[in-house]
């Protein structure tokens, strides 16, 4: 089966509607505080849903089912660490962010260490987010290309353009409230796939459970201590906690959502609850992966998959009815359209432009530069997506890119919040050591990517404290 007119109409209508909805918020963007923080007006439930949607992407929608299709459900161990990490972020970082008027997470490092550490962390964010979210955009384009037969470059450009238009016009308010809508859209899409598979497999979930149990597909816990095994209990808990502390506690992409909350309590409530929703969501996607495995056991593919990531898109285009297939593609687009480019513009303007290039800029100038920066980073992500067509696993690549950089930055935040002994030079030495160790680990394949954030933060913090002991004079 190929997509029909109804499917294309559903996809086009969804793209047009979400772009119009996001652009509608342009009328409320009068100052950079509105553009980057929504005037701090978002309730706890809005924070919860936007965080879930923000960390859910096409990498989740196609990558997690693919992981269960090819393996088992050990990925779920990471979600345990994600919940613990959120609780720690609520205790350690959120109170500090709500002391004063911060626009970016990196201004907290400015307070503690001065500009050098802040600039390094902010620069790392801009580079790694561009790469990671370019990969995320490519993953969306890949799925749409498989089901529509439209070439990947064109789908990258269309999706990227929609993302740029509504984010540039509506600011972070557009991002947050379209996130809320889109979370329900992609969850509905996943449920459509679940129900369809349940009806197509003789015996339904009972058959899936028995076959999956026999094949070890429902295995969740892996107690292996081999650091090269990506998904183990220890990597899931320690690595998941470290990665969550980094992404939700220090990375401007998610911290911007927290800073948009009405209060610290609203941010804490929304963040912690989002962890349980993510756990349930991951469970659903993993079960869908096992169901796809069983379905293709009973109905073997005539053409082998180019990659396991193609299993869900292949099922959508070959097995679902017209209309349903278009809705699933729209749901995949919904999972992808949680742009980071507004948070990147916020970092560009507040951490660099207004600090160094034009400190006396008025609001009109700052708003003009903010929108220009949003467009620039959107185009940069499109460029990365166009060059990302030879990636073997989009899920592992997305995690690895963020984890390689997140660890040393997390180390700086933890030291900044928990210790007063370490100075700026000590911290810079620690961060560089963390990067060096992670590059060594990655180059020689010493551990799975789930350990990167934990290892990088531990090395950065440890070396910084050692440097402070050897040279106790604060830099």
């Amino acid at each position: 089966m190929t997509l029909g007119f109804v499917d294309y109409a559903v996809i086009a209508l969804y793209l047009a509607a979400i772009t119009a909805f996001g652009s509608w918020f342009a009328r409320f963007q009068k100052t950079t505080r509105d553009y980057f923080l929504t005037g701090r007006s978002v309730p706890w439930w809005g924070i919860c849903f936007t965080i879930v949607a923000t960390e859910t992407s096409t990498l989740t929608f196609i990558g997690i089912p693919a992981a269960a299709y090819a393996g088992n459900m050990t990925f779920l161990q990471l979600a345990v660490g994600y919940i613990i990490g959120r609780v720690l972020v609520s205790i350690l970082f959120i109170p500090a962010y709500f002391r004063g008027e911060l626009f970016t997470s990196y201004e907290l490092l400015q307070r503690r260490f001065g500009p050098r550490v802040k600039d390094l962390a902010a620069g790392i964010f801009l580079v790694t987010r561009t790469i990671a979210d370019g990969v995320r955009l490519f993953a969306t384009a890949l799925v749409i290309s498989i089901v529509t037969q439209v070439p990947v470059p064109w789908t990258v450009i269309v999706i990227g353009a929609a993302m740029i238009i509504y984010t540039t016009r509506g600011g972070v308010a557009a991002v947050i409230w379209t996130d809320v809508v889109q979370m329900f859209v992609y969850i509905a899409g996943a449920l459509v796939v679940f129900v369809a598979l349940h009806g197509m497999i003789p015996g339904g979930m009972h058959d899936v459970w028995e076959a999956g149990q026999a094949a070890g597909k429902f295995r969740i816990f892996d107690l292996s201590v081999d650091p090269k095994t990506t998904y183990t209990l220890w990597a899931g808990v320690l690595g998941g906690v470290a990665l969550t502390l980094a992404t939700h506690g220090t990375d401007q992409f998610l911290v911007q959502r927290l800073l948009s909350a009405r209060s610290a309590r609203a941010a804490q409530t929304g963040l912690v609850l989002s962890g349980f929703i993510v756990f349930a969501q991951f469970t659903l996607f993993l079960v869908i992966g096992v169901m796809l495995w069983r379905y293709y056991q009973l109905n073997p593919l005539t053409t082998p998959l180019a990659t396991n990531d193609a299993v869900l898109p292949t099922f959508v285009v070959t097995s679902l009815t017209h209309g349903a297939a278009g809705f699933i593609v729209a749901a995949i687009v919904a999972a992808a359209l949680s742009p980071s480019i507004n948070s990147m513009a916020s970092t560009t303007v507040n951490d660099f432009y207004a600090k160094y290039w034009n400190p006396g800029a008025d609001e009109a100038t700052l708003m003009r530069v903010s929108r220009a920066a949003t467009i620039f980073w959107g185009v940069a992500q499109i460029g990365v997506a166009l060059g990302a067509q030879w990636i073997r696993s989009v899920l592992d690549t997305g995690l690895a890119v963020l984890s390689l950089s997140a660890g040393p930055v997390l180390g700086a935040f933890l030291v900044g919040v928990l210790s007063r002994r370490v100075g700026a030079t000590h911290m810079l030495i620690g961060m560089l050591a963390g990067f060096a160790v992670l590059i060594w680990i990655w180059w020689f394949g010493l551990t799975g990517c789930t350990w990167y954030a934990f290892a990088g933060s531990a090395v950065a913090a440890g070396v910084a404290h050692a440097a402070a002991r050897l040279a106790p004079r604060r830099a």
Side-chain angles (χ1 to χ4, degrees):
M1 186 189 86
T2 58
L3 295 187
F5 173 79
V6 174
D7 300 307
Y8 288 112
V10 169
I11 297 166
L13 181 63
Y14 181 76
L15 275 173
I18 209 68
T19 302
F21 177 67
S23 298
W24 179 76
F25 288 92
R27 67 184 64 193
F28 306 110
Q29 311 307 309
K30 306 301 182 185
T31 67
T32 50
R33 193 175 190 270
D34 300 326
Y35 193 68
F36 292 131
L37 297 179
T38 72
R40 287 191 166 171
S41 61
V42 183
W44 66 267
W45 54 268
I47 295 296
C48 177
F49 293 155
T50 189
I51 289 173
V52 174
T54 298
E55 63 183 301
T56 303
S57 68
T58 306
L59 303 184
T60 307
F61 207 102
I62 69 172
I64 293 180
Y69 171 80
N72 49 40
M73 297 179 65
T74 52
F75 182 87
L76 200 57
Q77 295 166 115
L78 269 179
V80 176
Y82 289 173
I83 293 173
I84 300 171
R86 280 166 162 79
V87 174
L88 294 176
V89 169
S90 296
I91 295 170
L92 294 176
F93 294 134
I94 289 179
Y97 285 137
F98 277 82
R99 295 188 198 112
E101 182 76 3
L102 296 185
F103 277 80
T104 75
S105 58
Y106 309 110
E107 291 175 284
L108 190 64
L109 293 179
Q110 170 92 30
R111 286 179 180 174
R112 173 63 177 82
F113 294 113
R116 291 182 296 166
V117 174
K118 182 267 294 181
D119 290 347
L120 177 59
I124 290 167
F125 163 71
L126 293 175
V127 172
T128 55
R129 264 297 157 194
T130 301
I131 297 171
D133 285 0
V135 171
R136 175 161 135 164
L137 179 57
F138 159 72
T140 307
L142 175 64
V143 175
I144 295 174
S145 177
I146 290 171
V147 299
T148 64
Q149 303 304 304
V150 175
V152 168
W154 285 110
T155 54
V156 165
I157 291 169
V158 170
I159 299 299
M163 169 185 76
I164 290 171
I165 290 169
Y166 82 73
T167 306
T168 301
R169 287 177 54 76
V172 75
V175 175
I176 288 174
W177 292 112
T178 53
D179 275 353
V180 172
V181 172
Q182 291 181 142
M183 189 195 81
F184 291 100
V185 172
Y186 72 71
I187 291 295
L191 290 173
V192 168
V193 173
F194 177 90
V195 171
L197 281 165
H198 187 274
M200 293 178 185
I201 298 171
M205 275 306 299
H206 179 74
D207 177 78
V208 173
W209 175 257
E210 288 193 342
Q213 281 284 82
K217 287 288 181 179
F218 288 103
R219 181 186 181 195
I220 295 176
F221 296 108
D222 185 340
L223 301 182
S224 170
V225 294
D226 181 1
K228 293 184 180 180
T229 302
T230 301
Y231 302 120
T232 67
L233 180 61
W234 325 115
V237 173
L238 296 178
V241 166
L243 185 60
T244 301
L245 283 170
T247 55
H248 294 62
T250 71
D251 191 306
Q252 175 64 8
F253 184 30
L254 277 155
V255 172
Q256 184 186 32
R257 273 74 169 164
L258 300 176
L259 288 172
S260 299
R262 290 175 177 171
S263 65
R265 177 59 60 88
Q268 290 167 324
T269 302
L271 177 62
V272 173
L273 287 178
S274 73
F276 294 95
I277 295 177
V278 166
F279 187 93
Q281 175 180 275
F282 283 173
T283 302
L284 172 62
F285 283 119
L286 288 166
V287 169
I288 287 172
V290 178
M291 295 174 80
L292 286 167
W293 164 80
R294 182 57 176 162
Y295 176 79
Y296 284 118
Q297 265 197 330
L298 300 172
N299 305 276
L301 287 161
T302 55
T303 303
L305 296 171
T307 170
N308 290 325
D309 290 324
V311 64
L312 179 56
T314 299
F315 172 78
V316 169
V317 76
T318 59
S319 304
L320 291 185
T321 59
H322 290 301
F327 180 72
I328 299 304
V329 176
I332 293 170
V333 172
L337 285 180
S338 180
S340 60
I341 54 178
N342 181 270
S343 60
M344 296 175 73
S346 178
T347 298
T348 303
V349 171
N350 293 293
D351 290 315
F352 294 104
Y353 179 82
K355 291 285 193 303
Y356 304 117
W357 187 261
N358 192 359
D362 57 24
E363 274 297 329
T365 300
L366 290 175
M367 283 295 291
R368 185 172 62 253
V369 173
S370 298
R371 289 195 167 100
T374 304
I375 295 170
F376 172 82
W377 290 116
V379 172
Q381 289 184 12
I382 290 173
V384 171
L386 292 173
Q389 300 180 47
W390 296 275
I391 293 173
R392 184 175 59 86
S393 170
V394 292
L395 180 63
D396 289 345
T397 300
L399 283 173
V401 168
L402 291 177
S403 298
L404 276 171
S405 60
V409 175
L410 172 60
F413 274 88
L414 288 173
V415 170
V417 171
L418 299 176
S419 171
R420 305 305 302 176
R421 175 181 296 175
V422 175
T425 299
H426 308 136
M427 197 65 251
L428 287 171
I429 293 170
M431 292 175 73
L432 292 175
F435 282 120
V437 169
L438 282 179
I439 294 299
W440 175 64
I441 289 172
W442 169 76
W443 183 262
F444 290 102
L446 300 180
T447 72
C449 64
T450 44
W451 285 105
Y452 291 168
F454 178 80
S457 60
V459 171
V463 171
H465 276 96
R469 284 183 176 276
L470 292 173
R473 181 180 177 181
R474 180 162 300 197

